[in-house]
């Protein structure tokens, strides 16, 4: 394996200073990064291990009613935090639908947000890939691309962002707290990931050295708890990335949708917030027709990037289903097969 | 390696026959404690690490390797290339027998498939060797890659599978179709699949002068030994191979492949022990796979739903440099009676590693197409698919007309259907929903696999201390040979299992034949049985010829060996213990050998197959198209069941693989480069626990006096057959959509709605 340096900074400031150097990357649980290094896709010179930094592994409720999740909280710990799962059920369901129990035990909040695409050509160093090697071309464009993007893609790159966690988070207006060379700042999660355009290698709004220290859910996010679901269609019952997924959250008042939140996963280079569809739903009754209209609206700009036109129709249907499930109400307990179309199957024992 | 200490838990001590007892694995404790030594766990002193550099192109030539850069890397000891390697005694392109496959061991710069080994870096650490391999930065002259079932001119291969004719005809298929009341013509496609044993191919090789010690998982110790001897020009008795445990093989560890040979060459080059382990993605190329197929079936029936003709044609691929042809159409030889059956194959050559035997080679691919098409025919006739199968039940083997040595398939259908509740199945598809509104479908498939026998030898001994020994170079691939064969051994020498030292898994023991073709228990078991009979005969001679023995005059045929005693058959009160017999005779032990082999006369007379019936229930989301199997029942008749626990595990594994075949498994090949784009266990999907429903296996009683002395048929592969078709048929029954390309994908269920 390529020789690299490894540092374990004691403070966030030291971490930021170290990671600002060329060739440096942050190492969290490494479930994505180490695979990339073993496959020679990432060849960092310096790993800045943040897993021992103090104060980044808490889940705290702030005075204003928002919730602050430290970047080092594990995916499993967050999903299994009873308070959290109750207040943000769709987020917990999304987390539990991702990867495997072993991976969720290790994977961190920060790492999940910044995990790289699963585009096979990105992983295959013999293929041309604009994201891995800017300007080299995109072998996915005319390749095996039935799982690639249908929204927001460009001729330069048709990859998707694979995170489940990010989908309900973006729907709930999550905020990302960042520590950088010039101190602390925060941005909406919706602004963290970038669409490819002509620069697919620039995946996020982060600058060199920027460390995600926390993700914050604003006070309003709690208001959706009674009607919030995540739904994920995949090619086996567990341990598979989404073909398409959706997070739907409703605030229902007097039988009407006072406010709706909708986001799609597996369709674009970022978790895809469907704001126009939310508008359609706002003020309407939670009916099948309204959901159909929202679905059409959410996918209005979709176009296939390859052998994947089915994903557009599938996404429409998932939107309708996720909205239907959300309208029916959040189940008292997270199903045994979280986010699965088979979630309510009796006798299911594990995911 | 420490001597294996394999004993049964006290709970399993028993009196009487060992065969038929549900013993748990005798190697289980070692395995759960991590004490079972797999090949790559061996670290002889001074061992170096070898890592293969593999080609990223599928066709062309390596024009340069930066050997200097690799050698400069700290820890790198040497780089083996076509220009710098030990000479082999024979050209690896020469096929000295049909079980020798061509391999890439750096004999040239030519590249014939992606992931072909092109150099080996040897270093003090795995990390240094890995980085060294990367630093080679190969350059290529790239030629267009041949990819897929339409890559080029097709041809009819000389043989398919192992020596089967590519075409087989019985009766007049065209006439049968012309006279048919109803007929269908359907085309099915199956994808390339890779064995993906949990344990990757691995070798630790150590030379000591001209002696060679090898630790390597193999399903064929003696075939491997012979191949290594031939390649390196050394006498077989100079080579010792240890393979006590395999972390799965599924056919890919049956014959010597290139990578372990590279490990032996590397050890020779550097004069030190060398370990070479494949990375997961490197297993997608040089160690075999299941070739893709496109199968066209034409079937006709008369007005009563009896088959008038069955025409099964399979297109497959082989590599550009060797021949292995998936005998998919041969699945139509045995199951359904028809006055006319034709099976035929053709193939194209593509830039791939040579395809190979993979669990139920031909039977699995052929079965899913045949069982689906039979279902389509039943539907065309308006008949229940089980009733249709029974209507066309073969009382003799259709393609040969031979009677079956035994065939309890009817009982399998009956017992399986009863357990499953098949009688309540609506004929029409898309009729059933569960409480959550999910579509529910039920499907059936018939399972079949030939009952094969190879050649094997075993050595048995009975010692004066009243213990026994049985030695045979058998292979435990996880299927439980350490247990099942020891059970047969215990009965063979008339001792309790814990009084018999059972040795297996090394090449200095008698040849057990290959662990393949579902024939290992039958073949090795027959050898053990005969060695046991021979040693008991010797012991009986000592007793019955000695007037001081209570058995004097009983004659060979007149004694039974049981619980460490010989007992007069006609008078059980007269017996003598092994210890007494041997002590009086003044010998430390008696020893004898026995063999297991097919019986040509029985094979001439009978068709020999195991059978089964698999019933599956699936649920499908009506809008989203996601599929989940919710229930499976398999009833199998496979002769004598040596160990019900192990047999069930084999059948469960097969049924899960069948489900995987229908719904999950596929190597995705880039059509331009010929590279496999999902060569990892994250993206090459196999079922995970959440996909596997409660499985129910029924073993149907079957006595077969013809297959071998013990009446054993195999169970290793049959579970896949029938199961894949049952799941596919259940998907149709749930949705009304017949998908003819496997694995069944979500989009096909969406599109056709
Ligand atoms: C087989 C497999 C299946 C999977 N299936 C799913 C799935 O179904 N759904 C899903 O959502 N995910 C899935 N994953 C992805 C998994 O969720 C991610 O690998 C994981 O969340 C990454 O977290 P980590 O802590 O290991 O990050 P790392 O691998 O350590 O880091 C990932 C990236 O984030 C950067 N990084 C990490 N933390 C910070 C920080 N605090 N600030 C700035 N940068 C940071 C690193 O530099 C690196 O670039 C799967 C992964 C595997 C291997
Ligand atoms: S889709 Fe994007 S990530 Fe994939 S090959 Fe093209 S540029 Fe690379």
């Amino acid at each position: 394996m390529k020789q690299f340096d490894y540092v374990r900074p004691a403070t966030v400031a030291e971490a930021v200073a170290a990671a600002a150097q060329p060739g440096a990357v942050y190492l969290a649980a490494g479930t994505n990064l180490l695979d990339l290094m073993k496959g020679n896709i990432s060849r960092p010179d310096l790993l800045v291990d943040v897993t021992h930094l103090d104060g980044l592994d808490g889940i705290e409720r702030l005075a204003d009613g928002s919730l602050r999740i430290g970047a080092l909280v594990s995916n499993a710990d967050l999903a299994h935090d009873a308070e959290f799962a109750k207040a943000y059920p769709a987020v917990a369901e999304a987390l539990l639908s991702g990867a495997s129990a072993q991976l969720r035990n290790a994977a961190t909040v920060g790492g999940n947000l910044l995990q790289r695409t699963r585009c096979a050509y990105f992983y295959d160093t013999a293929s041309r890939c604009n994201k891995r090697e800017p300007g080299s071309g995109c072998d996915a464009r005319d390749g095996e691309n039935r799982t690639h993007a249908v929204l927001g893609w460009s001729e330069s790159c048709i990859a998707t962002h694979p995170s489940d966690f990010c989908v309900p988070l973006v729907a709930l207006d999550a905020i990302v707290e960042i520590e950088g060379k010039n101190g602390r700042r925060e941005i909406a999660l919706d602004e963290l990931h970038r669409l490819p355009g002509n620069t697919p290698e620039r995946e996020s709004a982060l600058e060199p050295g920027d460390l995600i220290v926390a993700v914050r859910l604003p006070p309003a996010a709690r208001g959706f708890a009674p009607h919030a679901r995540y739904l994920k269609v995949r090619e086996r019952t567990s341990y598979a990335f989404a073909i398409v997924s959706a997070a739907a959250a409703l605030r229902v008042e007097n039988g009407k949708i006072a406010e709706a939140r909708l986001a799609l996963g597996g369709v674009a280079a970022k978790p895809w917030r469907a704001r126009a569809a939310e508008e359609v739903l706002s003020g309407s009754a939670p009916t099948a027709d309204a959901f159909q209209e929202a679905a059409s609206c959410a996918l209005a700009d979709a176009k296939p990037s390859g052998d994947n036109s089915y994903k557009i129709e599938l996404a429409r249907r998932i939107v309708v289903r996720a909205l239907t499930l959300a309208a029916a109400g959040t189940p008292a307990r997270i199903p045994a097969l979280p986010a699965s179309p088979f979630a309510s199957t009796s006798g299911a024992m594990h995911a | 390696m420490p001597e294996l200490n394999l004993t049964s838990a006290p709970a399993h001590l028993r009196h009487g026959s060992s065969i038929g007892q549900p013993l748990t694995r005798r190697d289980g404790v070692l395995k759960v404690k991590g004490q079972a030594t797999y090949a790559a766990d061996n670290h002889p002193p001074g061992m170096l690490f070898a890592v293969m550099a593999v080609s990223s192109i599928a066709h062309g030539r390596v024009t340069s390797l930066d050997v200097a850069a690799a050698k400069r890397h700290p820890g790198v000891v040497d780089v083996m290339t076509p220009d710098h390697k030990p000479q082999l005694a024979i050209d690896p392109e020469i096929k000295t027998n049909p079980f020798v496959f061509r391999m890439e061991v750096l004999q040239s710069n030519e590249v014939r498939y992606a992931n072909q080994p092109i150099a080996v870096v040897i270093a003090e650490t795995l990390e240094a060797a890995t980085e060294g391999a990367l630093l080679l930065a190969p350059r290529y002259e790239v030629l267009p890659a041949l990819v897929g079932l339409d890559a080029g001119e097709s041809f009819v291969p000389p043989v398919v599978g192992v020596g089967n004719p590519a075409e087989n005809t019985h009766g007049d298929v065209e006439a049968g179709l012309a006279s048919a009341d109803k007929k269908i013509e359907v085309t099915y496609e199956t994808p390339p699949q890779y064995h993906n044993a949990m344990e990757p191919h691995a070798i630790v090789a150590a030379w000591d002068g001209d002696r060679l010690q090898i630790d390597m998982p193999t399903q064929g110790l003696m075939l491997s030994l012979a191949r290594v001897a031939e390649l390196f020009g050394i006498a077989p008795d100079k080579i010792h191979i240890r393979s006590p445990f395999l972390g799965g093989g599924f056919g890919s560890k049956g014959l010597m492949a290139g990578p372990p040979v590279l490990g032996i060459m590397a050890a020779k080059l550097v004069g030190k022990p060398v370990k070479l382990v494949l990375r997961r993605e490197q297993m997608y190329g040089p160690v075999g796979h299941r070739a893709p197929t496109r199968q066209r079936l034409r079937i006709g029936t008369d007005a009563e739903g009896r088959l008038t003709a069955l025409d099964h044609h399979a297109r497959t691929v082989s590599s550009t440099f060797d021949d292995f042809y998936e005998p998919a159409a041969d699945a139509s030889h045995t199951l359904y009676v028809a006055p006319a059956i034709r099976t035929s194959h053709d193939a194209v050559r593509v830039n791939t590693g040579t395809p190979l035997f993979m669990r139920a080679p031909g039977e699995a691919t052929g079965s899913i197409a045949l069982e689906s098409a039979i279902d389509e025919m039943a539907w065309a006739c308006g008949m229940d698919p089980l009733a249709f199968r029974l209507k066309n039940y073969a009382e003799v083997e259709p393609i040969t007309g031979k009677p079956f040595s035994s065939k309890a398939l009817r009982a399998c259908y009956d017992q399986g259907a009863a357990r499953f509740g098949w009688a309540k199945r609506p004929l029409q598809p898309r009729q059933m929903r569960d409480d959550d509104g999910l579509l529910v479908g039920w499907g059936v498939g018939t399972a079949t696999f030939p009952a094969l026998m190879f050649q094997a030898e075993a050595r048995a001994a009975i010692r004066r201390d009243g213990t026994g020994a049985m030695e045979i170079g058998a292979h435990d691939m996880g299927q439980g040979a350490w247990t099942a064969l020891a059970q047969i051994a215990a009965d063979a020498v008339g001792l309790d299992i814990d009084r018999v030292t059972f040795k297996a898994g090394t090449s200095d023991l008698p040849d057990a034949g290959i662990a393949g073709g579902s024939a290992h228990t039958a073949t090795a078991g027959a050898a053990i049985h005969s060695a046991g009979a021979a040693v008991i005969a010797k012991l009986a001679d000592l007793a019955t010829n000695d007037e001081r023995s209570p058995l004097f005059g009983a004659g060979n045929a007149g004694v039974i060996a049981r619980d460490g005693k010989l007992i007069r058959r006609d008078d059980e009160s007269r017996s003598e213990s092994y210890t007494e017999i041997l002590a009086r005779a003044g010998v430390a032990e008696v020893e004898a050998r026995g063999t297991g082999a097919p019986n040509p006369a029985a094979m001439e007379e009978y068709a020999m197959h195991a059978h089964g019936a698999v019933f599956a229930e699936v649920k499908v989301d009506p809008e989203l198209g996601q599929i989940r199997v919710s229930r499976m029942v398999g009833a199998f008749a496979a002769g004598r069941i040596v160990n019900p626990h192990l047999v069930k595990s084999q059948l469960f594994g097969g049924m899960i693989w069948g489900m995987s075949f229908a719904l999950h498994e596929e190597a995705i090949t880039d059509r331009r480069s010929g590279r496999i784009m999902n060569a990892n266990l994250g993206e090459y999907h196999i079922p995970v626990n959440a996909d596997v429903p409660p499985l129910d296996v029924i073993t149907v009683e079957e006595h077969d006096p013809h297959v071998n002395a013990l009446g054993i048929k195999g169970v290793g592969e049959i579970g896949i057959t029938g199961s894949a078709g049952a799941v596919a048929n259940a998907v149709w029954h749930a949705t009304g959509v017949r998908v003819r390309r496997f694995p069944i994908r979500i989009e096909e269920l969406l599109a056709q709605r």
Side-chain angles (χ1 to χ4, degrees):
Chain A
M1 191 173 281
K2 183 194 170 212
Q3 308 268 331
F4 55 85
D5 285 323
Y6 168 91
V7 293
R8 195 187 270 182
T11 64
V12 167
E14 272 176 48
V16 171
Q21 302 168 61
V25 293
Y26 286 119
L27 171 70
T31 61
N32 188 208
L33 182 60
L34 296 191
D35 272 358
L36 291 164
M37 289 171 66
K38 284 192 243 170
N40 202 34
I41 298 114
S42 297
R43 286 179 69 82
D45 299 312
L46 172 63
L47 291 192
V48 182
D49 184 347
V50 296
T51 53
H52 293 77
L53 291 177
D54 280 337
L56 300 186
D57 59 355
I59 307 170
E60 32 168 347
R61 187 155 179 185
L62 306 181
D64 67 350
S66 44
L67 188 88
R68 188 163 182 279
I69 308 156
L72 292 178
V73 175
S74 81
N75 288 198
D77 283 349
L78 183 58
H80 291 124
D81 182 289
E83 276 282 292
F84 178 81
K86 211 160 159 217
Y88 315 100
V91 187
E93 192 168 13
L95 279 168
L96 292 176
S97 75
S100 64
Q102 294 89 334
L103 282 159
R104 294 192 296 268
N105 286 339
T108 64
V109 161
N112 192 314
L113 262 50
L114 291 175
Q115 63 174 293
R116 314 289 300 275
T117 181
R118 304 309 287 199
C119 171
Y121 296 91
F122 172 70
Y123 279 77
D124 174 34
T125 53
S127 291
R128 297 176 307 156
C129 169
N130 287 324
K131 194 185 271 304
R132 184 168 25 77
E133 220 175 294
S136 63
C138 170
D139 270 343
R141 190 68 183 86
D142 297 312
E144 303 303 318
N145 51 20
R146 57 182 280 275
T147 60
H148 282 72
V150 292
L151 282 162
W153 54 271
S154 72
E155 287 301 328
S156 303
C157 180
I158 60 173
T160 63
H161 191 258
S163 167
D164 292 301
F165 182 41
C166 287
V167 181
L169 281 183
V170 85
L172 295 174
D173 279 339
I175 293 151
V176 183
E177 298 183 10
I178 300 159
E179 187 80 30
K181 278 178 292 185
N182 306 316
R184 185 156 304 210
R185 69 182 197 282
E186 50 185 57
I187 58 173
L189 175 60
D190 204 9
E191 264 129 51
L192 179 68
H193 302 99
R194 294 166 43 113
L195 290 177
N198 294 322
T199 52
E201 72 280 11
R202 288 221 51 203
E203 294 177 348
S204 81
L206 298 187
E207 300 293 333
D210 276 356
L211 177 71
I212 295 182
V213 291
V215 172
R216 217 170 61 232
L217 284 162
R222 276 171 195 274
F224 296 93
H227 295 280
R229 287 308 294 271
Y230 183 66
L231 180 67
K232 174 180 179 184
V233 167
R234 53 203 128 160
E235 294 186 314
R236 59 183 168 191
T237 309
S238 178
Y239 195 40
F241 289 95
I243 297 286
V244 182
S245 69
L250 304 173
R251 224 159 33 72
V252 182
E253 280 170 11
N254 305 322
K256 286 239 162 96
I257 299 171
E259 191 180 358
R261 299 289 178 83
L262 184 66
L264 288 160
V267 293
K270 59 186 293 187
W272 191 265
R273 178 83 180 261
R275 286 204 165 75
E278 293 174 2
E279 286 307 314
V280 165
L281 292 167
S282 167
S284 72
T287 60
D289 283 351
F291 296 161
Q292 290 286 2
E293 198 189 332
S296 309
C297 188
L299 277 303
D301 294 335
K303 57 181 191 322
S305 59
D307 296 329
N308 57 0
S309 54
Y310 75 98
K311 283 183 69 166
I312 300 173
E313 175 59 18
L314 182 59
R316 280 194 202 101
R317 295 186 192 179
I318 289 174
V319 165
V320 171
R321 178 72 64 79
L323 286 166
T324 309
L325 289 170
T330 307
R333 293 176 51 193
I334 293 189
L337 295 173
S340 170
F342 302 101
S344 53
T345 306
S346 53
M349 274 143 61
H350 44 56
Chain B
M1 188 178 58
E3 186 73 8
L4 288 173
N5 183 16
L6 303 172
T7 54
S8 310
H12 301 123
L13 290 181
R14 26 100 276 143
H15 298 285
S17 171
S18 268
I19 295 178
Q21 300 295 318
L23 301 199
T24 53
R25 282 159 209 275
R26 308 177 86 217
D27 47 341
V29 173
L30 282 183
K31 285 185 177 167
V32 292
K33 285 188 173 171
Q35 289 166 346
T37 314
Y38 287 81
D41 296 331
N42 291 286
H43 285 220
M47 187 187 80
L48 299 177
F49 295 83
V51 166
M52 298 190 317
V54 297
S55 84
S56 62
I57 63 163
H59 187 198
R61 196 176 307 284
V62 179
T63 55
S64 83
L65 291 168
D66 195 346
V67 173
K71 279 194 160 169
R72 271 196 307 274
H73 189 73
V76 171
V77 173
D78 208 344
V79 179
M80 197 163 72
T81 66
D83 300 330
H84 177 58
K85 63 170 198 296
Q87 275 315 310
L88 292 174
I90 65 158
D91 181 348
E93 302 284 335
I94 294 173
K95 284 169 87 83
T96 47
N97 73 60
F99 284 108
V100 162
F101 282 85
R102 299 197 169 103
M103 52 174 70
E104 295 69 30
V105 287
L106 306 178
Q107 63 266 41
S108 81
N109 293 322
E110 192 198 341
V111 175
R112 353 198 237 201
Y113 58 88
N115 283 336
Q116 176 188 317
I118 55 173
V120 176
V121 178
I122 305 139
E124 284 156 10
T125 62
L126 176 62
E127 291 76 9
T130 304
E131 182 65 9
L134 214 59
L135 290 170
L136 289 174
R139 287 170 186 277
Y140 304 95
E141 177 194 330
V142 186
L143 296 171
L146 299 167
V147 182
L149 287 158
D150 299 307
E153 279 289 299
S154 70
F155 59 95
V156 175
V159 293
V160 297
V162 186
N164 304 3
E167 299 191 354
N168 229 312
T169 311
H170 150 77
D172 186 341
V173 162
E174 297 308 330
L177 287 170
S179 71
D181 180 57
K182 297 203 173 56
K183 53 189 168 214
I184 59 166
E185 174 172 343
V186 287
T187 301
Y188 282 84
E189 278 195 33
T190 66
Q193 300 175 347
Y194 283 75
H195 303 75
N196 271 309
M198 195 143 55
E199 176 202 32
H201 291 66
I203 186 165
V204 177
W207 289 89
D208 177 8
D210 65 347
R211 305 193 77 84
L212 176 60
Q213 168 66 44
I214 296 173
D215 290 292
M216 169 182 82
T218 173
Q219 299 172 237
L221 280 161
M222 287 303 153
L223 283 172
S224 298
L225 189 84
R227 183 72 168 134
V228 172
E230 157 183 289
L231 283 167
F232 290 89
I234 50 177
D237 63 7
K238 296 273 165 80
I239 306 167
H240 185 230
I241 308 178
R242 296 188 295 195
S243 180
F245 306 108
L246 287 86
F250 311 119
S252 76
K253 292 173 184 158
L255 306 171
M256 202 68 190
V261 174
L262 288 170
I264 301 170
M265 289 168 66
K268 190 160 188 180
L269 184 71
V270 296
K272 290 197 174 165
V274 162
K275 167 149 89 174
L276 187 151
V277 181
L278 297 200
R279 293 165 67 112
R280 176 63 53 184
E281 65 270 23
Q282 293 178 337
M283 293 168 69
Y284 289 70
V287 294
H289 66 286
R290 199 196 298 281
T293 69
R294 181 185 297 140
Q295 303 176 52
R296 190 202 58 186
L297 287 109
R298 297 191 301 156
I299 309 178
T301 52
D302 67 15
E304 273 81 55
R306 271 186 294 264
L307 296 180
T308 59
L310 171 56
D311 183 23
H312 191 161
H313 174 77
R315 157 74 57 91
T316 186
V317 306
S318 191
S319 67
T320 54
F321 55 92
D322 212 341
D323 300 283
F324 181 86
Y325 301 95
E326 178 81 4
D330 291 357
S332 285
H333 288 171
T334 47
L335 276 181
Y336 303 108
V337 65
I341 297 177
R342 178 166 66 203
T343 60
S344 56
H345 297 83
D346 71 357
V348 298
R349 294 199 180 275
V350 300
N351 289 113
T352 176
T354 306
L356 199 64
F357 313 93
M358 180 162 145
R359 206 173 185 187
E363 289 85 6
T365 40
S367 169
I368 194 169
L370 173 65
E371 290 303 310
S372 298
I374 284 289
D375 236 55
E376 295 205 58
M377 193 70 240
W379 174 240
C381 296
M383 286 177 70
D384 172 80
L386 178 54
F388 184 77
R389 283 169 171 83
L390 284 165
K391 177 137 239 162
N392 291 288
Y393 192 88
E395 301 293 352
V396 297
E397 186 180 51
I399 198 82
T400 61
K402 289 184 198 176
F404 291 101
S405 58
S406 63
K407 181 177 178 182
L409 176 58
R410 229 182 264 283
C412 294
Y413 284 135
D414 287 354
Q415 294 180 30
R419 180 78 59 90
F420 187 83
W422 183 262
K424 294 203 214 86
R425 178 185 180 274
L427 189 60
Q428 302 270 337
R430 219 181 165 93
Q431 298 299 304
M432 297 193 289
R433 299 249 182 178
D434 72 2
D435 292 346
D436 301 309
L438 297 167
L439 298 167
V440 179
W442 290 357
V444 62
T446 312
T448 183
F449 196 86
L452 303 172
M453 288 281 287
F454 302 129
Q455 310 268 355
E457 208 190 347
R459 191 189 82 90
I462 291 175
R463 305 188 194 109
R464 198 198 289 198
D465 65 1
T467 62
M470 187 67 74
E471 297 184 346
I472 183 162
H475 317 85
D476 195 321
M477 306 161 64
Q479 88 280 35
W482 278 119
T483 310
L485 295 181
Q487 286 176 262
I488 298 173
D491 282 5
V493 296
L495 284 166
D496 192 87
I497 193 164
D498 285 335
R499 296 190 63 76
V500 183
T501 313
F502 178 69
K503 278 198 183 165
T506 58
S507 65
D508 51 351
L509 300 173
D511 182 1
I514 195 167
S518 296
H520 201 41
T521 310
T523 306
I528 289 168
H529 181 74
S530 97
V535 80
I536 294 295
K538 281 192 178 172
L539 193 65
D541 273 351
L542 289 178
T544 57
N545 294 330
D546 188 333
E547 41 190 49
R548 289 166 297 172
S549 168
L551 298 173
F552 179 63
N556 270 359
V559 298
I560 306 165
R562 189 198 301 151
D563 289 337
K565 286 187 289 212
L566 295 186
I567 305 164
R568 238 189 117 108
R569 197 185 292 274
D570 53 2
D571 177 3
E572 296 220 355
S573 70
R574 295 173 68 181
S575 68
E576 191 171 33
S577 75
Y578 298 175
T579 307
E580 286 165 325
I581 298 169
L582 291 171
R584 194 181 46 245
V587 287
E589 67 168 38
V590 279
E591 189 222 67
R593 289 181 172 247
T595 55
N599 173 353
M603 283 170 61
E604 190 51 43
E605 195 166 342
Y606 296 104
M608 301 176 178
H609 303 275
H611 292 95
V614 182
F615 298 83
E617 176 184 271
V618 304
K619 298 197 172 179
V620 182
D621 188 293
E623 283 95 31
L624 307 179
Q626 199 174 313
I627 307 165
R628 189 168 190 232
V629 178
S630 45
R631 213 153 59 85
M632 276 176 101
V633 175
F636 298 92
R640 182 194 294 246
I641 301 303
V642 175
N643 180 322
H645 256 334
L646 299 172
V647 163
K648 276 196 178 171
S649 293
Q650 284 291 293
L651 296 170
F652 285 155
M655 287 162 72
I656 294 167
W657 203 320
M659 167 203 302
S660 184
F661 199 126
L663 302 181
H664 300 300
E665 254 182 271
E666 170 174 26
I668 296 166
T669 312
D670 183 88
R671 50 204 121 163
R672 301 153 303 177
S673 70
R675 279 196 296 279
I676 291 162
M677 302 311 296
N678 60 340
N680 62 73
L681 290 181
E683 263 105 347
Y684 181 98
H685 285 177
I686 55 169
V688 295
N689 278 331
D691 292 301
V692 180
L695 298 174
D696 201 347
V697 160
I698 302 167
T699 46
V700 170
E701 196 161 311
E702 191 179 66
H703 297 282
D704 193 318
H706 306 296
V707 280
N708 47 57
L710 291 165
I712 298 170
K713 298 177 178 178
V715 292
E717 296 162 272
I718 188 171
I720 302 183
T721 71
S723 300
V727 170
N729 291 336
V731 171
W732 170 79
H733 190 239
T735 61
V737 179
R738 180 60 74 174
V739 179
R740 300 194 183 87
R741 186 195 166 286
F742 300 108
I744 296 174
R745 285 172 166 174
I746 285 167
E747 58 260 46
E748 309 199 60
L749 297 183
L750 295 183
Q752 300 189 29
R753 248 197 85 220

